[in-house]
Amino acid sequence: MAYTLPSLPYAYDALEPHIDAQTMEIHHTKHHQAYITNVNAAIAGKELESKSVENLISQLDVVPADIKTVVRNHGGGHANHSLFWTIMGPNGGGQPSGELAAAIEADLGGLDAFRSAFNDAAAKRFGSGWAWLVVSQNGKLAVGSTANQDNPLMGEAIAGIGGIPILGLDVWEHAYYLKYQSRRPDYIAAFWNVIDWAAVAERFADAKR
């Protein structure tokens, strides 16, 4: 079955003033939709259509060679954005709590150290890509970044970091240029004001099961 564009759980202007409405609408309806259109075209009529996009990109070794790059780029784009929309919200910001906060303290040295590492991963990702907080195979949290639309589900050999992503930040210029132009660090700083920590904690709990 073909993938479809997920609806946002909030209005395009809900993340103002941190992420502007025009960027959100273009990002969602144009960029995300394009990734979906292209991955659907690549896998049309194949058994791969029955897989969730997360399963699809985590098993690139079974994807035929002639469509593997398209699936990696555009399937990755669909998976990445599908996560991205859900870990932000109009009542975001603040700090994580409960088991997630405890894991950040134990695995990453505390919230300040985590924020510094995540900001660094996002700011120093050359060109286009994503910064991630993942649950590694050993069950511990880790921070890293990927190029282009690579996703940690693809594994370390492909994406440079492996694990189950629970928080991701899009640092492609289309995610912030209308408001922030070349000021990527300002966009990264603004992101902390829209993180839905309850959604991240839910993903953390699911990844630990």
Side-chain angles (χ1 to χ4, degrees):
M1 193 164 81
Y3 302 128
T4 58
L5 184 68
S7 298
L8 293 189
Y10 42 77
Y12 289 124
D13 64 357
L15 305 184
E16 294 268 14
H18 311 292
I19 302 179
D20 63 285
Q22 185 181 14
T23 292
M24 287 296 296
E25 184 170 5
I26 294 170
H27 198 175
H28 180 242
T29 64
K30 303 300 183 185
H31 292 281
H32 190 175
Q33 181 61 64
Y35 295 124
I36 293 169
T37 299
N38 288 326
V39 70
N40 279 342
I43 64 176
K46 298 179 173 63
E47 289 185 9
L48 297 172
E49 280 189 303
S50 65
K51 294 179 178 288
S52 70
V53 71
E54 292 80 11
N55 285 340
L56 177 68
I57 64 169
S58 66
Q59 300 170 5
L60 288 175
D61 55 323
V62 304
V63 175
D66 61 329
I67 63 168
K68 186 171 293 187
T69 298
V70 174
V71 169
R72 175 179 176 177
N73 291 338
H74 295 276
H78 178 31
N80 294 351
H81 287 86
S82 295
L83 178 147
F84 186 50
W85 310 132
T86 66
I87 53 83
M88 299 187 292
N91 299 311
Q95 299 183 1
S97 60
E99 292 185 2
L100 175 59
I104 289 173
E105 183 70 33
D107 300 341
L108 302 174
L111 183 60
D112 288 344
F114 159 56
R115 285 184 61 138
S116 178
F118 190 90
N119 289 348
D120 204 46
K124 293 184 177 179
R125 167 47 60 184
F126 181 76
S128 300
W130 291 73
W132 300 102
L133 175 65
V134 306
V135 178
S136 302
Q137 282 189 332
N138 63 7
K140 294 185 180 298
L141 293 174
V143 171
S145 70
T146 58
N148 301 315
Q149 293 296 348
D150 284 353
N151 183 296
L153 291 173
M154 297 174 183
E156 186 174 358
I158 293 174
I161 180 175
I164 299 173
I166 62 172
L167 177 72
L169 175 60
D170 188 349
V171 293
W172 283 61
E173 284 192 342
H174 67 234
Y176 63 88
Y177 201 83
L178 288 178
K179 182 175 179 68
Y180 295 99
Q181 288 81 52
S182 61
R183 304 189 311 276
R184 186 191 286 187
D186 291 349
Y187 162 68
I188 297 167
F191 174 65
W192 294 96
N193 296 309
V194 298
I195 296 174
D196 181 346
W197 286 111
V200 179
E202 186 175 341
R203 287 183 175 274
F204 175 67
D206 288 344
K208 296 281 284 184
R209 289 194 179 102

